[in-house]
Amino acid sequence: MKDSEIFRENKKLEFKTDASSNSFLKTVSAFSNYGTGRILFGVSDDGDKIGMKDTKETCLDLENKINDSITPHPDFTFSVDSKTSVVELTVYEGKDKPYTYKNKAYKRNDSSTVEVNRIEYNRLILEGQNLDFEETSAKNQNLFFSFFEKKLQKILSVQKCTEDILKTLNLFSDSKGFNVAAELVADENNFPGIDMVRFGKTINEILDRETIEKCSVFQQYDTAVELYKKYYQYEKIDGIERVKVELIPENAFREAVANAIIHRAWDTKSHIRVEFYPDKILISSPGGLPPDVSEKEYLEGRLSLLRNPILGTVFFRLHLIEKFGTGIRRIRASYEKSIVKPTFSVMENSIQVGLPLLSEVPTLSSSEEKIYSELADGQQLSSSEIAANTGFSKNKVVRVVSGLMEKGYVQQVGAGRGTMYKISE
């Protein structure tokens, strides 16, 4: 145990000055349910190593408490630092979830331990059974698939949505009937859908709003795409031809909405939210990242674990997504020639994708492009700030900015010491 490891309590580490209290058992439940962690006995809240008087008796006492109080029995080990007499209890994430203390399951919330809510408890039960929520039996077994059938006919040339096709797509089984994934695909369901709102210059100016829910996820998807086309696409005459202009890439929008549907947590009552702004679209999906997927893996486009693999497979079969785990990369590829890039925000209970208006980079020298990039996203910077950000001398910045102003790419704001620069409107 290195000194550098003992700094402060966190999601995977808890300190206990002694073993007299049973409160550590809540944390044993939390680590067993949500990921391996350590509890150090004989360490103060500030991280000072106090040690335990009788480490052997402490380990035996802790072991008995865990075995008597946690159901089912978790997997754990002890180790003792011979120099400091600090007892380290390592609790391993288990497979037989939920692990409960006094019939309650717990999780870590930063450096504290809290009881899970009903939805999280149900998720633990399903995880312990190696099931996804979408695999559970649908409450409504009287389902119809006319909208889905039209999709199959149009895209796959399948004439009728038969029971065999539903079985092939893992939407139906003889033993369990229709599952939740089938209910989401069906013409009617009781799940929240997509809430779409179009804003004006401020969020107080609502120009349009439509909520589509309790219908097939494919109908929700199509409606969202139609609204996108209405607001962010138009045709212009180029010579003798009509040319479609996309203010925001359609491929990126389709990918973001499809991923919001197939990756969201369907056991929550929150809607997918699509916000249309004059300069961007924000798509927010409830549920955060699937278990065992890190934020880094998601942002690098290496998302391979689906929260809803059945639903994801159906979207894949209908060519609405290309490959599992490539959504982020495809969205980014749509903005390859744009100076303004998409954004991705990962929070505990939601994921948000931001799609800005395309802004193609003009033909510039390397120095001009570097300064132009600093002024992207509507920033206004002084020559000193640009110099600090680029590493150029102030004289070089003034010279390059002057050239950009002559070309009409950059404009000056203010005068004297308050002079700022921004991209021309």
Side-chain angles (χ1 to χ4, degrees), residues 50-90:
I50 303 169
M52 304 297 293
K53 290 184 179 179
D54 191 332
T55 57
K56 186 175 181 179
E57 183 179 339
T58 297
C59 292
L60 182 61
D61 182 46
L62 293 172
E63 182 177 357
N64 289 334
K65 285 183 177 181
I66 293 172
N67 289 334
D68 291 343
S69 305
I70 304 295
T71 306
H73 287 171
D75 186 14
F76 58 93
T77 58
F78 290 103
S79 64
V80 178
D81 189 320
S82 58
K83 295 182 180 179
T84 63
S85 296
V86 169
V87 174
E88 179 178 307
L89 167 62
T90 301

Side-chain angles (χ1 to χ4, degrees), residues 34-273:
Y34 289 99
T36 300
R38 299 177 299 147
I39 306 173
L40 304 184
F41 295 87
V43 178
S44 71
D45 291 341
D46 296 329
D48 295 330
K49 292 171 282 187
I50 303 169
M52 304 297 293
K53 290 184 179 179
D54 191 332
T55 57
K56 186 175 181 179
E57 183 179 339
T58 297
C59 292
L60 182 61
D61 182 46
L62 293 172
E63 182 177 357
N64 289 334
K65 285 183 177 181
I66 293 172
N67 289 334
D68 291 343
S69 305
I70 304 295
T71 306
H73 287 171
D75 186 14
F76 58 93
T77 58
F78 290 103
S79 64
V80 178
D81 189 320
S82 58
K83 295 182 180 179
T84 63
S85 296
V86 169
V87 174
E88 179 178 307
L89 167 62
T90 301
V91 182
Y92 301 95
E93 182 176 4
K95 296 181 178 180
D96 300 321
K97 303 171 183 178
Y99 292 85
T100 61
Y101 170 57
K102 293 185 176 180
N103 297 317
K104 295 180 181 179
Y106 293 86
K107 68 175 183 178
R108 292 288 280 177
N109 184 7
D110 195 18
S111 61
S112 62
T113 302
V114 297
E115 183 182 352
V116 302
N117 60 31
R118 181 178 59 81
I119 291 176
E120 292 170 315
Y121 190 87
N122 289 338
R123 288 175 183 169
L124 287 172
I125 293 174
L126 290 175
E127 194 174 344
Q129 297 172 345
N130 198 28
L131 287 174
D132 296 307
F133 176 70
E134 64 166 0
E135 294 180 82
T136 60
S137 295
K139 291 182 179 180
N140 178 16
Q141 290 291 318
N142 187 30
L143 301 178
F144 301 94
F145 300 91
S146 60
F147 196 93
F148 181 45
E149 186 173 79
K150 291 176 183 177
K151 280 283 185 187
L152 293 172
Q153 291 169 349
K154 182 178 180 180
I155 299 174
L156 300 180
S157 300
V158 173
Q159 294 306 308
K160 194 153 185 71
C161 182
T162 64
E163 186 176 287
D164 286 339
I165 288 176
L166 293 172
K167 284 182 178 179
T168 300
L169 295 173
N170 292 320
L171 299 172
F172 179 84
S173 68
D174 292 328
S175 59
K176 294 182 179 180
F178 293 115
N179 55 28
V180 167
E183 195 171 4
L184 292 168
V185 169
D187 295 334
E188 295 183 11
N189 61 64
N190 288 316
F191 292 95
I194 304 179
D195 184 23
M196 293 168 281
V197 57
R198 181 188 175 207
F199 294 103
K201 294 181 179 179
T202 70
I203 58 174
N204 295 322
E205 186 180 354
I206 298 177
L207 303 179
D208 194 7
R209 185 160 196 169
E210 182 172 350
T211 300
I212 181 164
E213 60 184 347
K214 298 184 179 180
C215 61
S216 172
V217 291
F218 295 109
Q219 186 174 347
Q220 297 172 25
Y221 173 84
D222 285 355
T223 302
V225 171
E226 287 305 311
L227 283 180
Y228 152 81
K229 290 180 178 179
K230 180 180 177 181
Y231 302 141
Y232 299 95
Q233 283 186 1
Y234 64 92
E235 289 186 343
K236 71 175 183 179
I237 304 298
D238 187 1
I240 61 173
E241 295 183 349
R242 286 182 178 270
V243 179
K244 182 175 72 172
V245 177
E246 296 179 350
L247 300 177
I248 289 175
E250 182 177 337
N251 285 341
F253 181 79
R254 285 180 175 273
E255 193 74 36
V257 173
N259 277 275
I261 291 172
I262 65 177
H263 290 303
R264 67 152 291 169
W266 284 102
D267 55 359
T268 66
K269 294 184 178 180
S270 301
H271 289 77
I272 293 170
R273 186 169 173 86

